[in-house]
Amino acid sequence: MPGYFVFAIHFHQPTGQLKRVSDRVFENSYKLLLEVLKEFSDLKFTVHVSGPLLLYASEYYPEWLNELAKLAQYGVIEVLGGSLGEAILPILPGEDRDLQLREYARLAEKVFGLKPRGAWLPERVWEPGLVGHFARSGIEYVLLDDSTLQRANKTSSDSLYPWLTEDAGSRLAAFFIDTALRYVLPWEHPDRVIDFMKSRVRGLENPVLVWGSDAEKFGEWRDPGWARWWLREFLNKLRFEREIQTVHPSEYLKQFGVRGLVYLPPGSYDKMLEWSGGFFRNFIVKYAEVNNMHKKMLWVRRKLERAGGGLEEAWKSYLLAQCNDAYWHGLFGGVYLAHLRQAIYENYIKAERAAEEATGYFGEEARKLLLEDFDYDGLDELLVESRDYNVYVDLRDGGTVFEFDVKRKGLEHNLQDTMSRYAEPYLEGAKFAPDWYRRVSARVHLWSTDTGIDDWLWNTPFKDLGDLALARHYLTHMDKEGVTLRATGGYYVFGSRVAEVEVEKRVRFLSNGYAIDYAVRNLRGGVIRAKVGYEYHLAPKIDRVGEGELSYAVGGSRLSVRDRYVGRASSVRVSSPVYPDVELSASRELEVWAAPLSTLARTEKGLMEMFQGLAVHFVDYVELDPGREVRLTVETRVAW
């Protein structure tokens, strides 16, 4: 009696992927796999193409899609459904889960001429509440990881069968991807892989062994020539193998059904569980940048709901912005990849603007000033919204600007989408100090007089002699032109409080950006001798197609964003080949530090330094007697 084998290949490139990367993967891997599938059309394969990749291939590789669709119509491949944006479904509002699945099914039916019966679950991130969403969308089965079944107190052998699960009366079958097989296929010789497969199924009644993983393992992660040889060798042996027969999941269910009923806990594959601490939503808590994107999603959804029907393109942008890759971090760059985060915001902002226009959101007002708990931390943030831009201020975190969205059509971009450096397990032993604060804008420091650019960039301890950088700010005045924030704190020498200090920020709204009038006051105590630092970070728009160079101009010099600058100047102008210039300008000349904000992140190629934005610090040496103050205005403008 034979065992059965589901060979499921997952094709995916995320929203915002660099065009050269997508094109390289098509040439190295995806075209190769199509050739092999056609060559071995007597076998049965299961294929999932993610929503973002389907849209990309429809535009740039339509013939590849057409050939894949023919294989589906001939019965060579069974097409898996999924979510349009390849989203982590459990972190979405319930209505979005349904919409993601429904819109993918509609796209798949248009491309392949059939409605998928099974689904690929992005990163295999499972929660029990998904059952009803899949059932409502017409999905009969889903592929999960075997660790999820084993956490339900089932054995390794139990994972060689599909099981039925239910939630509130909705039913869903689940097949389980075999972790042990995933670690040998395709890394071992085909003979050893087939021997391993036979050992897994031998002696069992109608077992089904499931392999499901990334297409890039064939031709992208390793040499295409090797991948072609390996696949042909492996599949040719399967052709004549009596103990193992390839099968489509729906075919197996029709013939053998499920093993029984099971209730599955939240889960994913082993590495994702390790990276997330056992629960995917932990990423939202660990990384402020992930939380920011997630809560932007919820904020934009509220606006789309008010708009009612229509706005198909806006909803499509919104769903694509939920693409999972930028919302987590493990082996790959994930949230550390700036071009992916930028694409997320670009799509959310497009949807936001469309919803605002459809509802007449601003009416006769030039802007809205809102106090909302945007990030769900229990305290209100200040949200300033206008037709052309948004400025979000975190009152608790140093009165900083943590989001600056440009909303003009064709310029959708969050200029404040910079990334902080976090402690990661793989960075132990590296020359690295995680950030002690979020790398955003309008933060004020009282640096010791011997502080330099390296101390600021790489977090030399005990250099900030004040506690204002993290101080909670209070909104003290609001009018049509701007708002005023204040915070008080101390200036310390050798741990002793020498003076009481107040920071006042008058945030003014410009036609093409915002200005902050700063006042740093010595309220009482001793003399303050320090470098007052006004800290900014900018995320220039990355050219995802041509990958042109980013640069900046300061002090009469034109520099790459990879270069540093220390000198006297009054402005820094940042340039992108695909975006208008953005300028930070101070009301007087003073010392300027400028440097790339870079993170160290692990990738499949080892540790890599990743550009996150341009860090700019205006530095003013002061000696402030009690009752004295220093003032500075910094404007942030987009040259549209």
Side-chain angles (χ1 to χ4, degrees):
M1 187 175 294
Y4 295 88
F5 175 47
V6 171
F7 196 2
I9 306 172
H10 168 57
F11 295 82
H12 169 59
Q13 291 299 313
T15 299
Q17 181 62 284
L18 301 174
K19 188 174 186 301
R20 69 168 168 83
V21 174
S22 293
D23 291 344
R24 185 189 71 220
V25 175
F26 261 96
E27 295 302 322
N28 288 347
S29 176
Y30 297 172
K31 290 183 178 181
L32 180 156
L33 279 164
L34 178 62
E35 291 173 13
V36 171
L37 294 178
K38 290 163 71 174
E39 183 179 346
F40 291 87
S41 58
D42 53 319
L43 300 178
K44 296 178 180 180
F45 303 91
T46 304
V47 165
H48 175 250
V49 184
S50 73
L53 187 61
L54 270 181
L55 294 170
Y56 184 85
S58 296
E59 182 176 357
Y60 294 103
Y61 295 93
E63 188 56 34
W64 182 84
L65 268 187
N66 290 338
E67 292 296 303
L68 206 60
K70 288 179 185 176
L71 292 177
Q73 290 156 12
Y74 296 155
V76 177
I77 66 173
E78 177 161 325
V79 175
L80 293 175
S83 61
L84 182 72
E86 194 65 8
I88 301 295
L89 293 176
I91 70 172
L92 306 185
E95 299 90 338
D96 288 0
R97 300 175 189 178
D98 291 332
L99 189 58
Q100 283 279 5
L101 295 170
R102 187 167 64 246
E103 289 302 304
Y104 184 92
R106 190 168 73 167
L107 178 61
E109 195 163 5
K110 178 181 176 182
V111 171
F112 297 111
L114 50 86
K115 187 174 181 181
R117 297 173 63 182
W120 179 267
L121 188 63
E123 301 303 322
R124 277 105 74 195
V125 176
W126 168 262
E127 291 186 16
L130 294 178
V131 173
H133 300 287
F134 280 117
R136 280 192 295 276
S137 67
I139 293 296
E140 299 170 12
Y141 69 87
V142 67
L143 303 190
L144 302 180
D145 204 75
D146 61 358
S147 65
T148 304
L149 182 66
Q150 289 159 22
R151 292 173 80 190
N153 298 317
K154 298 296 182 182
T155 67
S156 177
S157 294
D158 288 330
S159 66
L160 294 174
Y161 298 92
W163 291 76
L164 187 74
T165 190
E166 69 84 29
D167 185 56
S170 295
R171 303 180 184 209
L172 182 70
F175 286 84
F176 297 94
I177 296 169
D178 194 87
T179 299
L181 178 59
R182 194 161 45 81
Y183 282 134
V184 298
L185 191 166
W187 314 119
E188 299 285 344
H189 190 280
D191 289 341
R192 287 194 287 273
V193 172
I194 289 176
D195 286 343
F196 173 82
M197 293 168 67
K198 290 193 290 188
S199 72
R200 285 284 285 136
V201 302
R202 193 169 288 143
L204 299 175
E205 184 178 359
N206 302 318
V208 58
L209 188 60
V210 182
W211 184 92
S213 196
D214 302 317
E216 291 80 9
K217 289 182 176 178
F218 302 102
E220 173 64 13
W221 294 3
R222 289 183 65 174
D223 176 73
W226 170 88
R228 187 175 280 105
W229 167 82
W230 194 97
L231 282 164
R232 284 175 171 164
E233 187 80 4
F234 175 70
L235 295 174
N236 196 51
K237 290 180 183 299
L238 271 185
R239 271 177 167 160
F240 303 102
E241 181 54 60
R242 294 183 178 181
E243 293 185 55
I244 302 284
Q245 293 181 10
T246 58
V247 69
H248 292 150
S250 61
E251 178 186 13
Y252 183 94
L253 283 175
K254 183 178 180 180
Q255 186 171 354
F256 300 111
V258 297
R259 191 71 165 175
L261 173 67
V262 70
Y263 289 93
L264 300 167
S268 181
Y269 55 89
D270 53 351
K271 289 297 183 183
M272 178 61 78
L273 294 173
E274 175 189 328
W275 299 326
S276 65
F279 190 43
F280 186 89
R281 297 179 193 232
N282 288 334
F283 287 122
I284 303 175
V285 178
K286 177 177 179 178
Y287 299 105
E289 294 78 8
V290 172
N291 189 49
N292 211 128
M293 289 184 291
H294 185 258
K295 301 314 182 285
K296 181 71 173 181
M297 171 188 77
L298 300 178
W299 185 249
V300 172
R301 186 177 222 292
R302 288 167 60 177
K303 295 184 177 183
L304 285 169
E305 284 178 331
R306 293 190 199 109
L311 298 183
E312 184 174 331
E313 283 303 309
W315 279 103
K316 179 179 173 183
S317 294
Y318 171 78
L319 295 177
L320 290 174
Q322 294 172 338
C323 184
N324 77 85
D325 303 64
Y327 291 85
W328 60 278
H329 175 60
L331 176 60
F332 300 99
V335 68
Y336 285 103
L337 293 173
H339 59 280
L340 298 187
R341 296 197 314 274
Q342 289 190 8
I344 298 301
Y345 281 108
E346 182 181 315
N347 279 285
Y348 281 141
I349 295 166
K350 285 179 180 178
E352 180 179 32
R353 187 191 64 248
E356 289 173 352
E357 291 173 350
T359 57
Y361 182 73
F362 291 102
E364 300 300 317
E365 299 176 289
R367 62 186 60 87
K368 288 182 179 287
L369 279 68
L370 307 170
L371 286 172
E372 294 273 352
D373 184 10
F374 175 84
D375 60 6
Y376 289 61
D377 67 347
L379 293 173
D380 286 343
E381 284 71 48
L382 172 65
L383 310 185
V384 181
E385 301 180 324
S386 71
R387 289 176 175 82
D388 286 332
Y389 64 83
N390 301 324
V391 174
Y392 297 172
V393 178
D394 192 331
L395 299 172
R396 180 163 77 169
D397 182 30
T400 51
V401 174
F402 66 93
E403 186 165 331
F404 177 27
D405 301 322
V406 177
K407 295 159 72 176
R408 281 202 168 189
K409 193 166 186 177
L411 300 181
E412 299 90 350
H413 180 52
N414 176 11
L415 282 158
Q416 196 52 69
D417 174 34
T418 46
M419 181 79 190
S420 306
R421 279 81 62 97
Y422 290 83
E424 303 286 2
Y426 54 81
L427 292 175
E428 291 180 10
K431 189 179 179 182
F432 171 83
D435 289 322
W436 54 277
Y437 58 86
R438 189 175 175 188
R439 291 283 178 167
V440 285
S441 289
R443 200 180 297 277
V444 175
H445 299 270
L446 296 178
W447 299 115
S448 63
T449 56
D450 62 346
T451 302
I453 186 172
D454 284 316
D455 299 312
W456 164 53
L457 287 173
W458 298 107
N459 301 302
T460 301
F462 312 118
K463 289 294 185 179
D464 192 332
L465 304 182
D467 50 16
L468 294 166
L470 301 177
R472 182 173 178 179
H473 283 53
Y474 294 88
L475 183 61
T476 60
H477 180 76
M478 181 185 300
D479 57 43
K480 293 182 180 179
E481 304 303 320
V483 297
T484 302
L485 316 175
R486 284 195 177 92
T488 57
Y491 165 71
Y492 302 84
V493 176
F494 298 118
S496 298
R497 187 171 175 133
V498 172
E500 185 176 355
V501 191
E502 179 184 68
V503 169
E504 178 183 285
K505 299 176 184 178
R506 170 69 174 167
V507 185
R508 292 184 288 111
F509 315 124
L510 311 174
S511 62
N512 59 344
Y514 68 96
I516 300 183
D517 305 321
Y518 296 93
V520 179
R521 303 185 179 103
N522 184 344
L523 295 179
R524 60 188 61 85
V527 178
I528 296 175
R529 293 182 178 87
K531 289 181 174 180
V532 179
Y534 308 88
E535 180 174 15
Y536 283 77
H537 295 87
L538 286 176
K541 185 67 177 287
I542 293 170
D543 179 3
R544 299 195 297 267
V545 177
E547 296 187 64
E549 287 295 315
L550 302 171
S551 63
Y552 69 102
V554 58
S557 302
R558 169 67 64 178
L559 303 167
S560 164
V561 290
R562 305 283 180 180
D563 297 331
R564 293 185 178 196
Y565 175 88
V566 177
R568 294 192 67 79
S570 60
S571 66
V572 178
R573 193 174 184 92
V574 184
S575 299
S576 162
V578 292
Y579 206 75
D581 285 359
V582 182
E583 185 170 37
L584 292 172
S585 58
S587 53
R588 52 189 167 85
E589 184 178 271
L590 68 176
E591 188 173 357
V592 172
W593 302 339
L597 173 66
S598 297
T599 58
L600 281 177
R602 183 177 63 176
T603 72
E604 73 276 17
K605 297 177 181 178
L607 279 183
M608 292 185 68
E609 189 172 311
M610 296 182 175
F611 175 77
Q612 302 296 340
L614 186 70
V616 177
H617 217 51
F618 295 101
V619 184
D620 197 9
Y621 176 79
V622 300
E623 291 192 14
L624 290 181
D625 292 323
R628 302 293 298 274
E629 68 178 20
V630 61
R631 289 182 171 270
L632 186 73
T633 295
V634 178
E635 294 184 349
T636 305
R637 291 181 179 269
V638 183
W640 58 51

